[in-house]
Amino acid sequence: MINTLRVVTLIVNNQKDLYTIAELADMVGGEVIGDLDLEIRGAAGVKEAGRKQITFAENEKVLRLAEESEAAAIIVAQNITGCKKTIIRVKNPRLAYAIVSSLFVPDVFYKSGRAPSAVISESAEIGQNVSIHPMVVIEDDVVIGDNSILAPGVFVGKGSRIGSNTIIHPNVVIEYNSIIGSNVIIHGGTVIGSDGYGFVSTEEGHYKIPQTGNVIIEDDVEIGANVTIDRGTSGPTVIGKGTKIDNLVQIGHNVRIGPECLIIAQVGIAGSTELGKRVVLAGKTGVVGHIKIADNTTVAAMSTVTKSIPPASFYSGNPAQSHKDELKEQAALRKLPLLIKTIKEMEKRIRILESELQNESQNFNN
Amino acid sequence: MINTLRVVTLIVNNQKDLYTIAELADMVGGEVIGDLDLEIRGAAGVKEAGRKQITFAENEKVLRLAEESEAAAIIVAQNITGCKKTIIRVKNPRLAYAIVSSLFVPDVFYKSGRAPSAVISESAEIGQNVSIHPMVVIEDDVVIGDNSILAPGVFVGKGSRIGSNTIIHPNVVIEYNSIIGSNVIIHGGTVIGSDGYGFVSTEEGHYKIPQTGNVIIEDDVEIGANVTIDRGTSGPTVIGKGTKIDNLVQIGHNVRIGPECLIIAQVGIAGSTELGKRVVLAGKTGVVGHIKIADNTTVAAMSTVTKSIPPASFYSGNPAQSHKDELKEQAALRKLPLLIKTIKEMEKRIRILESELQNESQNFNN
Amino acid sequence: MINTLRVVTLIVNNQKDLYTIAELADMVGGEVIGDLDLEIRGAAGVKEAGRKQITFAENEKVLRLAEESEAAAIIVAQNITGCKKTIIRVKNPRLAYAIVSSLFVPDVFYKSGRAPSAVISESAEIGQNVSIHPMVVIEDDVVIGDNSILAPGVFVGKGSRIGSNTIIHPNVVIEYNSIIGSNVIIHGGTVIGSDGYGFVSTEEGHYKIPQTGNVIIEDDVEIGANVTIDRGTSGPTVIGKGTKIDNLVQIGHNVRIGPECLIIAQVGIAGSTELGKRVVLAGKTGVVGHIKIADNTTVAAMSTVTKSIPPASFYSGNPAQSHKDELKEQAALRKLPLLIKTIKEMEKRIRILESELQNESQNFNN
């Protein structure tokens, strides 16, 4: 089993321009077959890998492509025995590739110190090695942990806290009192802590219910671009540890998302709904408010979840139901136009039967 | 009946750290049962309310929770007679709570004056007590009314007008010639006045139709985060008085939204469509262009509205139809897989009947 | 046939406050009937056109409105013979209107030079007549072509290249190594080059697959507001020449969109999917990853495309299928509730037939 924490430490401490295959194999717990001293300067997919780069192959078909590619070496599964090129054999090639590839990611946002144009409150507590880019605004009483990066145009509202090793991409808005953990990544244009959508409708109009809660984003969360996560009405909206959120997702006030969930692009989750651990919501799915989706449940793309879902379910449709039932309905629906013809014919046959039987009966009675 | 205007004036003039229950009851037109001098320092939901805070209960179940909570006092409906804690009895507890809660909202964006880093055209007319934060850009001929707030990174394009007491959250983009009313709130990352999507398709490509209209946002409107409202092709796109728009909503060019509509997250409305008064579009609903949705109509979540809808309707589905019809179809669809079995059995029975009848007939004829 | 390139050159070289009808007719290859010296100072739709403006009419009904409007002149089709006002007769009135209207678009974002507050790397190569607004950040090794405009708050990451005559609206984020062509328009708040959504799920959590590819946006592309286009995992995400993308669209990593596609608001396209030439995806449609949508195909609004689509198709539904089949199913579904009644009645009639036949048979046998 790969110890991810050890790997991350290795990466942070060791980042350099080239590695030998032996060094890479050691990091991912793999075995080299071929030239141990081969030098690797990058990692790329099988279509893009160049002469000094390593790629990976999860199956025989991709392995053949990788052998024909320019790649210097290939990460493969343990059952692969022979290859024209130097290989690293590992339990999980995709994971090993992800780790090796991490070594070569350009560190484009790290710049030590504070840009002169950044506006930083005197009451803010900024950790060691924090990188504060131009046009950043940090308000009163903000606390930022070591090694975190605030890219250009980021706003951090009053009283917010950001952990260590967190990267906030350009033009992200973090409203007041937000709490953001360590090793978090937030992509460009995302808004954390906008007011929840809460109004009391009266005859005079819709009166705003103040939204005085906040947003808590736990460690190891990644959030895509132009996402919106509303603050709680009172109490927090929570994104659990290790959850990964894609672009243009909407999270309503007081939603609680468990650890390690996967929330794909353009999903929307309405207020006060709770997601358990490792819930997967595929693209564009909508979830109504005040329900619970239990651990390990997956909901297919473009579904509408209107009531709570038990653990380890696979749901789909609008309104969402067990995927098995949804598929049955879809299949039945596909047959429906033909079915209507069949029914019309059956009705005709019944009419004929009825009239024949009547005749028969009359014949008999005559 | 609560006079909201009076309440708002009270709030603006009286904001302070603590209020007695008697003061709060006076503001919301309520009656205290219990300690009139009890001091309240905040308001929160029943799950979050602390020792010095007031909460509210709309039904008996929540009232029991509120009694067991740390809350100092509870806002309740007029039919509640007894309670372990001090209560304020009102006609509409949720509305009274919203008003009381407004008293304690932290004023995080108000800062008097103009940040040195803001770039403000000399031809801009800025009212009294306007708060212009760092990194704001205000272009030529802009007019901004008294007490409005432009948070960090806001852009206000040439010739735009913003009323009084309006709050524009960080990194909002207001393109040229936009007109925004008073008491408006626009949340982070929203873009007002982007070009409408208009092209003439020719064999050479799609030729852009210039979008030279603008956007008009009337008083008391609230717009969520990362919303997009396109400017008209010529003429305006209009958001009517008191309408509330949630996050990630798309409003096309020349759309006209009536007063007091509720447009929930991720809704999209295509060009030139008109919404009447108090229309509600639930989350993720799409509306095609050039149609009318009449007053007081509600459309359920994830619907696709493809034609005009009469007043006071409740529509749902794709394509949207009367919700009653949609429910009937959904229920019928649920039965369809079983129905197919039934039909197959029926066909078999008809075949047997046909063959028996033939036999019979032969028997008879023999 | 109009030569668009010639027209664009005319516009750039000739922009002025007023034109005679004869000048306008020359630009659009049209024929004037009426006063050749009539001066025109603007263009607008038939509802908005004022006294000195020209409008257009594509049919008789609009022509009647245009005649009653304040407009000074009307662009009409070649079959129109008489009109109360001066007309320009052309092959394609909408296209001619678009061209004429382009002459009068206010140039609100053009400002020569570099704003003092912009932060521009010394290693950036900036072309002639580039307009760099306040709060812009341009990082190392960026190249920007002549006449391009970077509106306030734009971020251009390390190593990115932008062509000539390109307009980037306020608060757009362009992450490192992006390549953006000439004559491109990107509206406010859009994020180009955010990380693709790629993780390896292990028992310990979801391990990030580094996203080291980039985004390539070809010439003549227009991208709406608050759009997100992810960088490739390795290799590029490509938006083909002349494609027009509406607001709030999500484009996943390694997607390749062909030339002259139309992608309407709130569409989402998952990773590695390819679109051919002139594909149209209507609003809110979702497309799964790793499929191909061939040339000239149109997909209706709110559809879910789950498998590849052949050329020149018209698809709709969830899952998407041939629109003809989808319509048949929809029509059948509408009949389903009545059908269930019919089937119940048929079953009853069969039961009666069966019992009658049994009686008959018994009668016969007796």
Side-chain angles (χ1 to χ4, degrees):
Chain A
M1 180 66 122
I2 289 167
N3 179 333
T4 320
L5 211 67
R6 179 178 159 259
V7 169
V8 170
T9 314
L10 276 167
I11 290 170
V12 169
N13 294 335
N14 289 321
Q15 199 153 11
K16 48 188 188 177
D17 282 352
L18 67 85
Y19 296 82
T20 65
I21 279 283
E23 286 176 306
L24 297 179
D26 179 52
M27 280 184 200
V28 298
E31 177 198 5
V32 178
I33 300 184
D35 176 6
L36 286 166
D37 297 325
L38 189 67
E39 287 174 359
I40 299 296
R41 291 173 179 274
V46 70
K47 285 186 197 161
E48 296 89 13
R51 283 196 313 116
K52 302 283 187 186
Q53 294 186 310
I54 192 165
T55 188
F56 76 111
E58 288 183 301
N59 57 49
E60 285 286 339
K61 193 179 147 197
V62 177
L63 183 56
R64 293 293 86 80
L65 291 173
E67 282 186 308
E68 302 307 317
S69 76
E70 291 205 337
I74 312 166
I75 298 170
V76 298
Q78 278 159 344
N79 62 330
I80 301 299
T81 49
C83 178
K84 293 182 194 168
K85 303 196 174 191
T86 296
I87 56 177
I88 301 178
R89 300 200 309 185
V90 295
K91 201 173 158 192
N92 184 339
R94 182 174 289 264
L95 177 59
Y97 171 78
I99 291 165
V100 166
S101 176
S102 304
L103 294 166
F104 302 104
V105 177
D107 201 3
V108 291
F109 279 115
Y110 184 73
K111 275 185 184 156
S112 69
R114 306 175 182 194
S117 67
V119 174
I120 305 171
S121 163
E122 284 183 14
S123 63
E125 287 176 41
I126 314 286
Q128 300 292 310
N129 283 322
V130 170
S131 173
I132 300 179
H133 282 246
M135 314 309 163
V136 165
V137 175
I138 298 176
E139 303 217 320
D140 296 347
D141 307 323
V142 166
V143 179
I144 299 178
D146 297 344
N147 307 313
S148 285
I149 295 171
L150 276 64
V154 167
F155 167 78
V156 186
K158 193 179 171 182
S160 293
R161 287 158 173 272
I162 297 174
S164 303
N165 303 309
T166 284
I167 304 177
I168 316 286
H169 281 258
N171 290 353
V172 165
V173 172
I174 298 172
E175 296 270 10
Y176 73 97
N177 288 348
S178 298
I179 297 175
I180 295 171
S182 294
N183 303 310
V184 168
I185 300 171
I186 304 179
H187 288 283
T190 283
V191 178
I192 307 291
S194 38
D195 278 356
Y197 190 83
F199 301 92
V200 191
S201 296
T202 73
E203 282 179 21
E204 290 174 64
H206 309 294
Y207 194 88
K208 182 176 177 70
I209 302 174
Q211 305 290 310
T212 57
N214 71 342
V215 174
I216 298 175
I217 294 171
E218 297 180 355
D219 294 349
D220 304 323
V221 167
E222 182 163 344
I223 298 172
N226 283 342
V227 167
T228 55
I229 303 181
D230 282 345
R231 64 192 318 111
T233 305
S234 60
T237 302
V238 181
I239 313 296
K241 189 171 187 300
T243 282
K244 311 295 182 184
I245 297 176
D246 202 350
N247 299 341
L248 291 170
V249 166
Q250 149 71 0
I251 310 285
H253 51 156
N254 297 96
V255 165
R256 284 168 179 268
I257 295 181
E260 297 177 12
C261 291
L262 298 174
I263 313 291
I264 315 303
Q266 295 174 317
V267 160
I269 305 177
S272 300
T273 278
E274 292 181 32
L275 270 59
K277 188 177 172 160
R278 294 233 167 187
V279 171
V280 179
L281 301 182
K284 286 181 173 288
T285 279
V287 183
V288 303
H290 296 274
I291 64 170
K292 293 187 190 194
I293 302 183
D295 296 355
N296 299 306
T297 281
T298 294
V299 181
M302 197 73 98
S303 304
T304 309
V305 183
T306 58
K307 53 188 182 191
S308 294
I309 303 183
S313 306
F314 182 15
Y315 267 51
S316 66
N318 177 3
Q321 58 181 337
S322 144
H323 188 57
K324 206 188 265 180
D325 291 342
E326 178 69 18
L327 285 181
K328 266 188 214 157
E329 274 182 34
Q330 291 290 341
L333 188 54
R334 294 278 181 278
K335 293 178 191 160
L336 189 54
L338 259 178
L339 204 68
I340 290 177
K341 281 191 189 170
T342 309
I343 290 166
K344 280 189 186 154
E345 283 163 20
M346 281 167 62
E347 209 178 4
K348 209 171 160 188
R349 287 160 70 185
I350 292 175
R351 239 188 342 263
I352 293 171
L353 281 169
E354 286 168 342
S355 104
E356 286 184 352
L357 196 62
Q358 205 178 2
N359 288 343
E360 199 107 331
S361 166
Q362 284 172 347
N363 288 349
F364 184 83
N365 291 334
N366 291 356
Chain B
M1 180 67 121
I2 289 167
N3 180 334
T4 319
L5 211 67
R6 178 178 160 257
V7 169
V8 170
T9 313
L10 274 167
I11 289 170
V12 169
N13 294 335
N14 289 321
Q15 200 154 10
K16 48 187 188 177
D17 282 351
L18 67 85
Y19 296 82
T20 65
I21 279 282
E23 286 175 306
L24 297 180
D26 179 52
M27 282 184 200
V28 298
E31 174 198 9
V32 179
I33 300 183
D35 177 5
L36 286 167
D37 297 324
L38 189 66
E39 286 174 0
I40 299 297
R41 291 173 179 274
V46 69
K47 287 184 193 162
E48 297 88 13
R51 282 197 312 118
K52 300 284 186 186
Q53 294 183 312
I54 192 164
T55 189
F56 76 110
E58 288 184 299
N59 57 49
E60 285 286 339
K61 195 179 147 197
V62 177
L63 182 57
R64 292 293 87 80
L65 292 172
E67 281 187 307
E68 301 308 317
S69 76
E70 290 205 337
I74 312 166
I75 299 169
V76 298
Q78 277 161 342
N79 62 332
I80 300 299
T81 47
C83 177
K84 293 182 194 169
K85 304 195 172 191
T86 296
I87 56 178
I88 301 178
R89 299 201 309 187
V90 295
K91 200 173 162 195
N92 184 339
R94 181 173 289 264
L95 177 59
Y97 170 77
I99 291 165
V100 166
S101 177
S102 305
L103 295 167
F104 301 103
V105 178
D107 200 2
V108 291
F109 280 115
Y110 184 72
K111 275 183 186 160
S112 69
R114 306 174 181 195
S117 67
V119 174
I120 305 171
S121 163
E122 284 182 15
S123 63
E125 287 176 39
I126 314 286
Q128 300 293 311
N129 282 322
V130 171
S131 171
I132 300 179
H133 281 245
M135 315 307 164
V136 165
V137 175
I138 298 176
E139 302 219 320
D140 296 348
D141 307 323
V142 165
V143 178
I144 299 178
D146 298 344
N147 307 313
S148 286
I149 296 172
L150 275 63
V154 166
F155 167 79
V156 186
K158 192 179 170 180
S160 293
R161 288 158 173 271
I162 297 174
S164 303
N165 303 310
T166 283
I167 304 177
I168 316 285
H169 281 257
N171 291 351
V172 165
V173 172
I174 298 171
E175 297 270 11
Y176 71 98
N177 287 349
S178 299
I179 297 175
I180 295 171
S182 294
N183 303 311
V184 169
I185 300 172
I186 304 179
H187 289 281
T190 282
V191 178
I192 307 290
S194 38
D195 278 356
Y197 190 83
F199 302 92
V200 190
S201 296
T202 73
E203 283 178 21
E204 291 174 64
H206 309 294
Y207 195 88
K208 183 176 175 70
I209 303 173
Q211 305 290 309
T212 57
N214 70 342
V215 174
I216 299 174
I217 294 171
E218 297 180 355
D219 294 348
D220 304 322
V221 167
E222 181 163 344
I223 298 173
N226 284 341
V227 167
T228 55
I229 303 181
D230 282 346
R231 65 193 316 112
T233 304
S234 59
T237 303
V238 181
I239 312 297
K241 188 171 189 300
T243 282
K244 311 295 182 181
I245 297 177
D246 202 350
N247 299 340
L248 292 170
V249 166
Q250 149 69 2
I251 310 285
H253 50 157
N254 297 96
V255 165
R256 284 169 179 267
I257 295 182
E260 297 177 14
C261 291
L262 298 173
I263 313 291
I264 315 303
Q266 296 174 316
V267 160
I269 305 176
S272 300
T273 279
E274 292 181 32
L275 269 60
K277 187 175 173 163
R278 294 235 166 184
V279 170
V280 179
L281 301 182
K284 287 180 172 289
T285 278
V287 183
V288 304
H290 297 274
I291 65 169
K292 293 187 189 193
I293 302 183
D295 296 356
N296 299 307
T297 281
T298 293
V299 182
M302 196 73 99
S303 303
T304 309
V305 183
T306 58
K307 52 188 184 191
S308 293
I309 303 183
S313 307
F314 182 15
Y315 267 50
S316 66
N318 177 3
Q321 59 182 334
S322 142
H323 188 58
K324 206 189 265 180
D325 291 341
E326 178 70 17
L327 285 182
K328 266 187 213 157
E329 273 182 34
Q330 291 291 343
L333 187 54
R334 294 277 182 277
K335 291 179 192 159
L336 188 54
L338 259 177
L339 205 66
I340 291 177
K341 280 192 191 170
T342 309
I343 289 165
K344 279 188 188 157
E345 283 163 20
M346 282 167 62
E347 209 178 4
K348 208 171 157 189
R349 287 161 70 185
I350 291 175
R351 239 187 343 264
I352 293 171
L353 281 168
E354 286 168 340
S355 103
E356 286 183 353
L357 197 60
Q358 205 178 359
N359 289 343
E360 198 107 331
S361 169
Q362 284 171 346
N363 287 348
F364 183 83
N365 290 335
N366 290 354
Chain C
M1 180 69 122
I2 289 167
N3 180 334
T4 319
L5 212 66
R6 177 177 160 260
V7 169
V8 170
T9 313
L10 275 167
I11 290 171
V12 169
N13 294 334
N14 289 323
Q15 200 154 11
K16 49 188 187 175
D17 281 352
L18 67 85
Y19 297 82
T20 64
I21 278 282
E23 286 175 305
L24 297 180
D26 180 52
M27 281 184 200
V28 299
E31 175 199 7
V32 177
I33 301 184
D35 176 6
L36 286 166
D37 297 324
L38 188 67
E39 286 174 358
I40 299 297
R41 292 172 179 276
V46 69
K47 285 185 195 162
E48 296 90 13
R51 283 198 311 120
K52 301 283 187 185
Q53 294 185 310
I54 191 165
T55 190
F56 76 111
E58 289 183 299
N59 57 49
E60 284 286 340
K61 194 179 147 199
V62 177
L63 182 57
R64 292 292 88 79
L65 291 173
E67 282 187 307
E68 303 307 316
S69 77
E70 292 205 336
I74 311 167
I75 299 170
V76 298
Q78 278 161 342
N79 63 331
I80 299 299
T81 48
C83 179
K84 294 183 193 168
K85 303 196 173 189
T86 296
I87 56 177
I88 301 178
R89 299 201 308 186
V90 294
K91 200 174 162 194
N92 184 339
R94 181 174 289 265
L95 177 59
Y97 171 78
I99 291 164
V100 166
S101 178
S102 304
L103 295 167
F104 301 104
V105 177
D107 201 2
V108 291
F109 280 116
Y110 185 74
K111 275 183 186 160
S112 69
R114 307 174 182 195
S117 67
V119 174
I120 305 171
S121 163
E122 284 181 14
S123 64
E125 287 176 41
I126 313 286
Q128 299 293 310
N129 282 323
V130 171
S131 172
I132 300 178
H133 281 246
M135 315 307 164
V136 165
V137 175
I138 299 176
E139 302 219 320
D140 296 348
D141 308 323
V142 165
V143 178
I144 299 178
D146 297 345
N147 307 315
S148 286
I149 296 172
L150 276 63
V154 166
F155 167 79
V156 186
K158 194 179 170 181
S160 293
R161 287 159 174 272
I162 297 174
S164 302
N165 303 310
T166 283
I167 304 177
I168 316 286
H169 281 257
N171 290 352
V172 165
V173 173
I174 298 172
E175 296 270 10
Y176 71 98
N177 288 348
S178 298
I179 297 175
I180 295 171
S182 294
N183 303 312
V184 169
I185 300 171
I186 304 179
H187 289 281
T190 282
V191 178
I192 308 290
S194 38
D195 278 356
Y197 190 82
F199 302 92
V200 191
S201 295
T202 73
E203 282 179 20
E204 290 174 65
H206 309 294
Y207 194 88
K208 181 175 177 71
I209 302 173
Q211 305 290 312
T212 58
N214 71 342
V215 174
I216 298 174
I217 294 171
E218 297 180 356
D219 294 349
D220 304 323
V221 167
E222 182 163 345
I223 298 172
N226 284 341
V227 167
T228 56
I229 302 181
D230 282 346
R231 63 193 317 113
T233 305
S234 58
T237 303
V238 181
I239 311 298
K241 187 171 189 300
T243 283
K244 311 295 182 183
I245 297 177
D246 201 351
N247 299 341
L248 292 171
V249 166
Q250 148 70 1
I251 311 285
H253 51 156
N254 297 96
V255 165
R256 283 169 180 269
I257 295 182
E260 297 176 12
C261 291
L262 298 173
I263 313 291
I264 315 302
Q266 295 175 318
V267 160
I269 306 177
S272 300
T273 278
E274 292 180 34
L275 270 59
K277 187 176 172 161
R278 293 233 167 185
V279 170
V280 179
L281 301 182
K284 286 181 173 287
T285 278
V287 183
V288 304
H290 297 274
I291 65 170
K292 292 186 190 195
I293 302 183
D295 296 356
N296 298 307
T297 282
T298 293
V299 181
M302 196 73 99
S303 304
T304 309
V305 183
T306 59
K307 52 188 184 193
S308 293
I309 303 183
S313 307
F314 183 14
Y315 267 50
S316 66
N318 176 4
Q321 59 182 337
S322 142
H323 188 57
K324 206 188 266 179
D325 291 342
E326 178 70 19
L327 284 182
K328 266 187 213 158
E329 273 182 35
Q330 291 290 343
L333 188 54
R334 294 277 182 278
K335 292 178 191 160
L336 190 54
L338 258 178
L339 205 66
I340 291 177
K341 279 192 191 169
T342 309
I343 290 166
K344 278 188 188 155
E345 282 162 20
M346 281 166 64
E347 210 178 4
K348 208 171 159 187
R349 286 160 71 185
I350 292 174
R351 239 190 340 265
I352 293 171
L353 281 167
E354 287 168 340
S355 101
E356 286 184 352
L357 196 62
Q358 207 178 0
N359 289 343
E360 197 108 331
S361 169
Q362 283 171 348
N363 287 349
F364 184 83
N365 291 334
N366 290 354

